[in-house]
Amino acid sequence: MKVLQHPLFIACLLLFCLNQVLENNGVYVWPLHTHLDDFLCLPLTLTIILAAERVYFQNPAFILPKRYLVIAAVLFSLMFEVILPLFAARYTADPWDVIAYAAGALLFQLSINRHAPTKTTNQVNN
């Protein structure tokens, strides 16, 4: 579960919470109010999925295949930018949010979705 201690995951989680506190207090900062949650959504979700997969497979070196990230970005985009706006006026379709989902998936891939460091013989003996 070390992946849940990744500095970027913690930063994303703190940013998400801070943005929610601001919004709940009526403080709306553009573009944070409109796009930050969409950007942070996949790094947070995918990190939790990665942690669960590592526990399930008992393999700290497991990484999510890139196709999972693409599928996640597509599904989030379809659900929140196509389907929900059709059924609820509260949701609005925004192509910039699709870009935010893709950027979040890319951030996850480039930073968090890595093999867990393993101890080498020198590190164990020192």
Side-chain angles (χ1 to χ4, degrees):
M1 296 281 250
K2 277 194 161 262
V3 71
L4 296 177
Q5 298 171 358
H6 192 285
L8 185 62
F9 174 75
I10 293 169
C12 288
L13 186 59
L14 291 174
L15 275 173
F16 174 79
C17 291
L18 176 62
N19 193 41
Q20 292 304 303
V21 167
L22 289 173
E23 289 178 6
N24 287 333
N25 286 301
V27 178
Y28 300 101
V29 179
W30 187 89
L32 303 181
H33 165 65
T34 55
H35 303 295
L36 183 63
D37 290 346
D38 302 306
F39 175 68
L40 297 175
C41 173
L42 286 177
L44 292 171
T45 303
L46 292 170
T47 301
I48 293 167
I49 291 169
L50 178 61
E53 292 279 352
R54 286 181 175 178
V55 168
Y56 179 78
F57 290 116
Q58 299 178 356
N59 180 1
F62 179 84
I63 60 171
L64 293 176
K66 290 177 187 169
R67 69 180 180 276
Y68 286 20
L69 281 59
V70 172
I71 291 169
V74 168
L75 290 176
F76 271 82
S77 296
L78 283 174
M79 180 56 72
F80 292 104
E81 306 308 322
V82 177
I83 296 170
L84 285 178
L86 293 174
F87 296 101
R90 177 177 180 217
Y91 299 98
T92 54
D94 184 356
W96 288 104
D97 289 346
V98 174
I99 294 169
Y101 292 130
L106 181 62
L107 176 68
F108 171 80
Q109 174 61 30
L110 296 175
S111 57
I112 299 173
N113 197 30
R114 299 280 177 230
H115 293 290
T118 57
K119 294 181 181 178
T120 62
T121 307
N122 290 340
Q123 290 174 327
V124 173
N125 292 335
N126 290 335

